[in-house]
């Protein structure tokens, strides 16, 4: 049974329209997170001179710690959104905060699963940026990049598998289950990743060019709307993907 992506996109949008209170609350929460990240953790530009004079670990902390904190908060909010969508789908949704305790319990396993999903690709990108500057060594990074992309595709639904499967599986059991579930479905996973990661990223870069405070708020609002839509889309996709 092939997955009809246009129908899936329309169903995801209809879900957001029909669940107005959930949608408004989710977008507001995502906007607050993005604005807090933007203003509380401004991007620090480090010059070559500073790299030579300051302690490397201090510079690493300045660059990475805010990003890590923001990413962890984002993971928690995404878990809460997915569990709320699950409650709506099961017909037992009462209010937005009803899944807070379950989200806290699932937080650390989801962080670990996210790590397994993205770390091979992150390593490939990091080495690619370094080795790619040397033309004679660039060819050596291709297998690493290909492996990272392959693992990411195979595990791109691992968070949904952990949160939606009942009874809930352990971390490593979820990894094995998600990996085995992807057999023969790589084309669908590839299209899903294009729609869920590449398209929103390109759209975000385009909107992010709008200058001024109004542009910042507008870009954050659109980004939050797209982020929530992608989460709903991922939920609906996993439901159909699981039935194939």
């Amino acid at each position: 049974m092939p997955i009809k992506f246009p129908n899936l996109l329309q169903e995801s949008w209809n879900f957001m329209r029909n669940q107005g209170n959930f949608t408004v609350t989710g977008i507001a929460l995502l906007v607050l997170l993005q604005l807090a990240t933007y203003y509380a953790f401004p991007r620090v530009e480090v010059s070559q001179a500073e790299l030579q004079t300051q302690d490397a670990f201090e510079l690493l902390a300045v660059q990475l710690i805010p990003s890590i904190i923001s990413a962890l908060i984002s993971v928690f909010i995404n878990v809460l959104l997915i569990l709320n969508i699950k409650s709506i789908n099961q017909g037992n949704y009462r209010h937005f905060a009803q899944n807070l305790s379950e989200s806290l319990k699932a937080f650390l396993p989801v962080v670990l699963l996210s790590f397994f999903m993205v770390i091979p690709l992150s390593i490939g990108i990091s080495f690619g940026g370094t080795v790619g500057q040397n033309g004679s060594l660039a060819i050596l990074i291709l297998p690493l990049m290909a492996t990272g992309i392959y693992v990411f595709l195979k595990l791109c639904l691992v968070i949904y598998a952990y949160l939606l499967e009942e009874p809930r599986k352990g971390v490593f059991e979820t990894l094995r289950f998600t990996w085995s579930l992807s057999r023969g479905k790589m084309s669908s996973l590839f299209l899903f990743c294009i729609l869920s990661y590449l398209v929103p990223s390109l759209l975000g870069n385009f909107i992010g060019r709008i200058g001024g405070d109004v542009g910042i708020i507008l870009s954050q609002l659109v980004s939050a709307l797209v982020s929530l839509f992608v989460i709903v889309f991922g939920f609906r996709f996993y439901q159909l993907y699981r039935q194939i």
Side-chain angles (χ1 to χ4, degrees):
M1 179 183 68
I3 294 177
K4 298 179 180 179
F5 282 91
N7 293 346
L8 195 56
L9 292 168
Q10 183 63 54
E11 290 173 7
S12 301
W13 178 249
N14 290 341
F15 176 92
M16 292 179 61
R17 290 176 57 192
N18 295 333
Q19 302 296 330
N21 290 336
F22 165 79
T23 299
V24 170
T25 305
I27 290 176
L29 193 60
L30 290 169
V31 168
L32 287 175
L33 169 63
Q34 292 169 172
L35 289 176
T37 301
Y38 182 85
Y39 287 107
F41 304 123
R43 186 175 182 83
V44 179
E45 298 293 339
V46 182
S47 66
Q48 188 64 33
E50 290 175 317
L51 284 173
Q52 296 175 354
T53 58
Q54 294 188 30
D55 184 82
F57 288 103
E58 179 184 345
L59 291 173
L60 187 64
V62 169
Q63 293 287 348
L64 288 184
I65 290 179
S67 299
I68 292 174
I69 294 174
S70 175
L72 291 175
I73 296 174
S74 179
V75 168
F76 176 78
I77 291 176
N78 287 347
V79 170
L80 178 60
L81 290 170
I82 292 172
L83 290 177
N84 279 340
I85 296 170
K86 180 181 178 181
S87 295
I88 293 172
N89 190 66
Q90 293 176 339
N92 57 18
Y93 179 77
R94 299 184 302 278
H95 55 83
F96 194 86
Q98 73 181 54
N99 288 300
L100 274 176
S101 60
E102 187 177 356
S103 299
L104 287 171
K105 292 177 183 178
F107 174 68
L108 288 179
V110 168
V111 170
L112 187 57
L113 289 168
S114 301
F115 178 83
F116 282 113
M117 179 178 70
V118 303
I119 195 61
L121 182 58
S122 300
I123 292 174
I125 292 174
S126 299
F127 276 88
T130 303
V131 179
Q133 299 175 4
N134 188 329
S136 61
L137 297 178
I139 191 65
L140 299 179
I141 207 65
L142 291 178
L144 190 58
M145 289 286 290
T147 300
I149 293 172
Y150 180 74
V151 171
F152 183 84
L153 287 173
K154 295 279 284 186
L155 297 179
C156 65
L157 294 173
V158 69
I159 307 305
Y160 291 96
Y162 178 77
L163 295 175
L164 302 185
E165 291 295 325
E166 295 183 355
R168 182 166 294 168
K169 307 176 187 298
V171 169
F172 293 104
E173 187 181 3
T174 300
L175 287 169
R176 290 192 295 268
F177 173 78
T178 308
W179 189 277
S180 63
L181 197 62
S182 65
R183 294 192 185 114
K185 307 172 187 175
M186 293 300 288
S187 59
S188 295
L189 290 175
F190 179 77
L191 288 174
F192 169 76
C193 287
I194 292 292
L195 293 172
S196 297
Y197 296 100
L198 182 59
V199 173
S201 177
L202 295 175
L203 180 61
N205 289 335
F206 175 76
I207 298 175
R209 296 175 183 175
I210 301 174
D213 290 338
V214 174
I216 292 172
I217 295 175
L218 177 62
S219 65
Q220 300 302 330
L221 181 61
V222 173
S223 177
L225 175 63
V226 172
S227 297
L228 182 59
F229 178 81
V230 166
I231 292 172
V232 175
F233 172 66
F235 183 96
R236 294 289 297 119
F237 176 82
Y238 184 79
Q239 286 183 312
L240 295 178
Y241 170 85
R242 184 71 173 82
Q243 297 172 11
I244 300 177

